[in-house]
Amino acid sequence: MNTINTKECYNALLAQKLIEEFKKRNMEGLYCVSKEDALKKVLEMIPKDSLVSCGSSVTLDEIGLRAALKSEGYNFLDPKDAQAQGASAMEKIAHQALSADYFLMSSNAISATGEMVNADGIGNRVAPLIFGPKNIIVIAGINKVEPNLEAAILRVKNYAAQMICLAFKKDYSNFDDLSKVAEDSCNQLVITSGSVFKGRIKVIIVGESLGY
């Protein structure tokens, strides 16, 4: 029990520091102890008549957000719904997502100094983060936090990218082959060091290990 309390205290203190750092960068930070709390918080933040979309994210699935948006009647534009229809349908939704009222995503890494680091193959996930949707909500487990920007970039390149590649294809002959494919998939490496529009980007840190 003491170990659990110690971890919870550490996570809360780290989240408090992150919230302070985000504020300096014109972003809003929030902390939720559990994924259940995070799901409840996100749904409270989004009016049901808003157009909502998202990027591909294991974290969103793990907290049950994608399923909740569908089951609870939100105006949800889900890129996964277009997968069976082919690349052109997915591209259409990606363009429509740029006009969403709320865009939901996770982050590949976050520095303890408040920067977010994200890698993308064609840019359909990072593009809305940079420009377009009125509101961005980022949900990230405490495991995504690294002590500084350099470590956050290394996390993206040396871990997150490999894990994402493995999610799509698992039969790599060796680690070097996996690393090469992962490196090639990081065509767009985006560092978000702040927001021009105060409060446009909201980052929910969850006190659990989520996603890659």
Side-chain angles (χ1 to χ4, degrees):
M1 190 68 170
N2 289 334
T3 302
I4 295 174
N5 287 338
T6 300
K7 287 181 179 178
E8 288 178 353
C9 288
Y10 176 87
N11 291 346
L13 289 170
L14 178 56
Q16 181 183 32
K17 171 180 171 54
L18 281 166
I19 289 168
E20 293 169 357
E21 295 296 337
F22 289 143
K23 187 175 182 180
K24 296 174 188 176
R25 299 174 181 278
N26 241 12
M27 300 187 289
E28 182 180 342
L30 304 95
Y31 177 59
C32 291
V33 174
S34 69
K35 61 185 179 183
E36 291 81 11
D37 292 339
L39 174 60
K40 181 179 178 182
K41 174 60 69 177
V42 176
L43 294 178
E44 288 173 351
M45 294 166 68
I46 304 173
K48 282 197 172 181
D49 59 349
S50 301
L51 178 61
V52 185
S53 193
C54 67
S56 176
S57 169
V58 172
T59 296
L60 299 189
D61 291 334
E62 286 180 341
I63 71 170
L65 181 54
R66 197 187 303 269
L69 288 169
K70 290 183 176 181
S71 65
E72 298 190 23
Y74 285 82
N75 185 16
F76 181 35
L77 188 65
D78 187 357
K80 277 195 172 182
D81 290 342
Q83 283 182 342
Q85 302 171 41
S88 60
M90 293 180 67
E91 183 178 353
K92 181 179 179 181
I93 285 186
H95 282 288
Q96 290 173 329
L98 294 172
S99 300
D101 298 302
Y102 287 83
F103 187 82
L104 314 175
M105 59 181 291
S106 188
S107 183
N108 296 134
I110 300 174
S111 73
T113 46
E115 297 108 333
M116 290 189 294
V117 184
N118 287 282
D120 212 348
I122 62 174
N124 60 299
R125 186 173 64 94
V126 296
L129 171 63
I130 297 169
F131 179 80
K134 299 180 182 69
N135 300 279
I136 303 294
I137 301 178
V138 179
I139 305 101
I142 201 81
N143 56 304
K144 301 286 189 73
V145 181
E146 295 288 348
N148 52 53
L149 179 58
E150 181 179 1
I153 294 172
L154 287 175
R155 183 188 195 280
V156 174
K157 291 184 174 183
N158 296 338
Y159 176 72
Q162 283 89 336
M163 293 297 288
I164 292 168
C165 287
L166 283 169
F168 290 96
K169 179 180 181 293
K170 294 182 173 60
D171 57 341
Y172 291 94
S173 58
N174 56 62
F175 190 79
D176 288 343
D177 286 348
L178 169 62
S179 297
K180 179 63 168 63
V181 173
E183 182 181 353
D184 292 343
S185 71
C186 293
N187 294 324
Q188 310 293 331
L189 183 68
V190 173
I191 299 169
T192 302
S193 58
S195 176
V196 173
F197 304 104
K198 186 176 181 179
R200 175 181 178 263
I201 299 176
K202 296 175 176 62
V203 186
I204 299 176
I205 300 296
V206 186
E208 295 186 27
S209 179
L210 294 169
Y212 304 140

